[in-house]
Amino acid sequence: MMDLRRLALVVVTVAVTVVGEFGCGCFGNVLTLNVLRKFAGHGKNLSALRAHDIRRHGRLLSTIGVDLPLGGNGHPSETGLYFAKIGLGNPSKDYYVQVDTGSDILWVNCAGCDKCPTKSDLGLGLTLYDPKKSSTSSLVYCDQDFCTSTYDGPLPGCKPNLQCQYNVVYGDGSSTAGYFVKDNMKLEQVTGNLQSRSTNGTVVFGCGARQSGELGSSSEALDGILGFGQANSSIISQLAASGKVKKSFAHCLDNIEGGGIFAIGEVVSPKVKRTPMVQNQAHYNIVMKDIEVGGDLLRLPSDIFDSGDQKGTIVDSGTTLAYLPSSIYEPLMTKILSQQPALNLHTVEDQFTCFQFAGSVDSGFPVVKFHFEDSLVLTVFPHEYTFQIREDIWCFGWQNSGVQSKDGKDMILLGGISLNSLF
């Protein structure tokens, strides 16, 4: 039995985005995954945080070349900011996979894989999935419903007994290729009173036969990626279609010790506040309306929250920092720093704005509130938008955005470390 500890919670519904902050005493038809955090237990290595985000944005925003399109998305993030242990097959074996809201399939490295990692510097034991050793596995063929719906119709040259394959090349040059299989996935289902029990669901996932680039390296290697995207091929869509859960999920992430829980399904209690999700976007985007600093609304251009093709604000647990356009970043920082006019700022590693401060940052700096559509307000305290790198040295988690949409406009991207109240 798993004890569901009280953690900060964000709920995202595929039809309606739900965002709120409260304890993770989840009740309802909910499946859960325990998650661990790559940077948990380590000192704040600023270069590592920034490098992680740069690689992730390359995958989020680059044009992806694919031999077979993966449900209209297929943007896995840099491996392993948050990862979970799942069970696959019968008998069930454990696999460590990145939990990613930006991709649309679950895939794991398979037996006989070419250039798949065999060890990980994260201290995890890696396992290759072998469909021949699972009594419940079956191959997915190109004429079956999963394959035709994933690729919006029959594949050219499809004939009986031809496997349904995938091959994705990402913007950073890494790639994953293989074929789809169907098998049991072991999950934890909430039973009430902060407890859960094991249950099984049948899902289709990718059996990785070949990896390259970062996906084949050992430094941050995992067994695969668990996609929580919006396409029908994603795990959340498959579980919802089978009637296991409703099509929603919740982040319950602990930003102090690292790790937490992903809850799949409708959270009945506690009650959550909702804001609509921007439709027809590749990622989970919501509409920001205003930013409040210390009780005062920032004076911003009326169209500042419309970032071109990528409309709305991207909420992304796979990004560590918060990236804001100059037209938001500069007035935000000016207002925050007006409370400490004598503060001596300095730059660390050519990109982080840092300062020496001996007192409580919550007493010395203002609270920031993000206002979203339908009157949803997210409160971010100073200890959440700053982080400590030495005993009395703090840095701001806000970054002047270099993240642009396809039409060249700076995007708003809210990540985890600087916005702990979100994640």
Side-chain angles (χ1 to χ4, degrees):
M1 304 290 283
M2 181 179 65
D3 181 15
L4 304 182
R5 303 294 181 183
R6 297 182 64 82
L7 303 168
L9 176 66
V10 174
V11 181
V12 180
T13 304
V14 175
V16 179
T17 301
V18 184
V19 186
E21 183 186 3
F22 38 81
C24 189
C26 306
F27 294 93
N29 187 18
V30 177
L31 304 173
T32 64
L33 293 171
N34 276 333
V35 294
L36 303 173
R37 193 171 188 275
K38 184 176 74 176
F39 293 115
H42 300 283
K44 296 292 193 303
N45 185 320
L46 302 187
S47 295
L49 299 183
R50 181 72 175 187
H52 168 92
D53 286 356
I54 289 172
R55 288 195 295 271
R56 176 168 179 81
H57 299 160
R59 292 190 180 183
L60 276 172
L61 304 173
S62 294
T63 300
I64 295 182
V66 295
D67 291 337
L68 297 173
L70 292 180
N73 191 2
H75 303 271
S77 72
E78 199 274 320
T79 302
L81 182 60
Y82 286 100
F83 54 93
K85 183 172 69 175
I86 63 172
L88 293 174
N90 185 21
S92 179
K93 291 186 177 181
D94 292 334
Y95 301 86
Y96 289 96
V97 291
Q98 181 202 348
V99 181
D100 179 35
T101 60
S103 60
D104 285 331
I105 64 169
L106 163 64
W107 62 264
V108 293
N109 296 319
C110 280
C113 176
D114 181 26
K115 298 182 179 178
C116 282
T118 57
K119 64 178 182 178
S120 172
D121 293 345
L122 297 175
L124 305 172
L126 301 183
T127 303
L128 295 175
Y129 170 80
D130 188 346
K132 295 180 180 178
K133 294 183 179 180
S134 172
S135 64
T136 50
S137 72
S138 60
L139 296 175
V140 176
Y141 297 103
C142 63
D143 57 352
Q144 292 180 324
D145 289 344
F146 176 87
C147 198
T148 56
S149 64
T150 298
Y151 302 124
D152 296 325
L155 296 176
C158 178
K159 55 186 178 181
N161 298 323
L162 183 65
Q163 293 177 9
C164 184
Q165 300 187 6
Y166 75 91
N167 188 345
V168 183
V169 180
Y170 301 107
D172 65 354
S174 62
S175 65
T176 175
Y179 54 93
F180 286 110
V181 297
K182 179 186 288 188
D183 208 342
N184 286 346
M185 179 178 178
K186 187 178 179 181
L187 301 160
E188 294 291 329
Q189 185 167 30
V190 174
T191 58
N193 296 323
L194 302 181
Q195 299 293 310
S196 67
R197 61 177 173 81
S198 294
T199 185
N200 286 327
T202 301
V203 296
V204 176
F205 56 93
C207 194
R210 185 175 67 257
Q211 315 295 1
S212 71
E214 291 288 335
L215 295 176
S217 71
S218 63
S219 61
E220 298 170 350
L222 295 168
D223 291 316
I225 292 177
L226 175 58
F228 271 86
Q230 302 179 56
N232 291 335
S233 57
S234 74
I235 290 302
I236 186 172
S237 297
Q238 291 189 56
L239 292 173
S242 68
K244 282 281 184 182
V245 293
K246 290 204 172 179
K247 202 171 183 180
S248 62
F249 68 88
H251 301 236
C252 298
L253 305 179
D254 183 345
N255 292 279
I256 304 300
E257 300 297 330
I261 296 170
F262 262 61
I264 310 168
E266 183 181 23
V267 176
V268 176
S269 177
K271 187 176 181 179
V272 297
K273 295 182 179 179
R274 298 173 181 260
T275 185
M277 186 178 70
V278 180
Q279 298 299 310
N280 302 318
Q281 298 294 310
H283 310 293
Y284 291 106
N285 292 25
I286 54 180
V287 178
M288 190 184 297
K289 307 293 285 187
D290 285 300
I291 299 176
E292 179 183 340
V293 181
D296 297 326
L297 292 178
L298 294 181
R299 295 184 177 180
L300 301 171
S302 59
D303 63 346
I304 190 60
F305 298 116
D306 180 4
S307 54
D309 292 337
Q310 296 287 340
K311 295 183 184 298
T313 298
I314 297 176
V315 180
D316 179 29
S317 62
T319 294
T320 57
L321 305 171
Y323 294 83
L324 306 170
S326 296
S327 52
I328 294 177
Y329 174 83
E330 292 175 2
L332 173 66
M333 290 298 294
T334 297
K335 186 66 175 177
I336 289 174
L337 294 172
S338 66
Q339 195 161 315
Q340 295 288 342
L343 197 66
N344 184 22
L345 300 177
H346 61 277
T347 302
V348 174
E349 297 184 7
D350 298 325
Q351 56 197 347
F352 294 93
T353 300
C354 303
F355 55 94
Q356 187 173 15
F357 197 79
S360 166
V361 290
D362 282 331
S363 299
F365 294 88
V367 170
V368 175
K369 294 184 178 181
F370 292 94
H371 294 256
F372 295 94
E373 193 170 345
D374 285 357
S375 301
L376 176 68
V377 179
L378 288 170
T379 301
V380 187
F381 293 97
H383 73 270
E384 294 167 334
Y385 65 73
T386 61
F387 54 92
Q388 199 169 13
I389 59 172
R390 290 195 293 276
E391 183 177 353
D392 59 350
I393 302 296
W394 296 76
C395 298
F396 288 103
W398 319 117
Q399 292 287 291
N400 201 339
S401 178
V403 185
Q404 294 185 331
S405 61
K406 290 183 291 184
D407 60 2
K409 291 186 177 181
D410 286 341
M411 294 193 305
I412 305 170
L413 197 158
L414 304 183
I417 283 182
S418 59
L419 294 175
N420 290 337
S421 64
L422 276 177
F423 302 107

